[in-house]
Amino acid sequence: MSDTMKTVRNISATVLVLSALFFVLNVGIGTTYDVVFDPEQVDIDAAALAADPTNETAMAANDALEAFGGDIDFVERIGVLGMVLIALSPLGLGALKYRGNGAKIIDQSIQYAVPIVALIAFVTMSDTVWEVIQGDRTWESFGDATNAWILGNTAALVTAVSSWLQNRN
């Protein structure tokens, strides 16, 4: 059972990193920053889409708002920050390490990003996550940013659960 859980964890972790990267690249680094630190700016940018439908910043902001159901709340902001940390961690691009990044809180945030995002996914979107796990999600009904957000959260939950099951032995 341990090898199976390890394989499931590794595959879901890879999907998690790819989804996090895809989300950030789809909405842009600037919009991702705004989602975490200035969600009101995302609302303002998305509202500008009506006046200028070719504005790339407005399109990215609108995609981000759609990914979160039209409103960015605190928990989603923490989830996006977690996804960015996962993408930059040794699990992803390797730009950050699990230890030695300076402050202990940064090291702990990187180390526990997957379980934090998994908990957020479980608490805030368990119905949608279950849709993905069962294969009932209609992917073409949603945009790329929304799909990346949902798939990343689902992968985080699967990664955390399979890691926990593997470590029980």
Side-chain angles (χ1 to χ4, degrees), residues 25-72:
L25 294 174
N26 188 272
V27 300
I29 294 171
T31 301
T32 301
Y33 177 88
D34 287 342
V35 165
V36 175
F37 297 107
D38 192 8
E40 291 82 20
Q41 185 61 46
V42 178
D43 289 333
I44 292 167
D45 290 345
L49 187 61
D52 184 6
T54 61
N55 183 330
E56 290 186 24
T57 302
M59 288 189 287
N62 191 58
D63 288 346
L65 278 179
E66 284 180 3
F68 305 120
D71 187 37
I72 302 169

Side-chain angles (χ1 to χ4, degrees), residues 9-24:
R9 183 200 66 205
N10 291 343
I11 291 170
S12 60
T14 303
V15 171
L16 167 58
V17 169
L18 293 174
S19 296
L21 288 170
F22 193 84
F23 177 82
V24 170

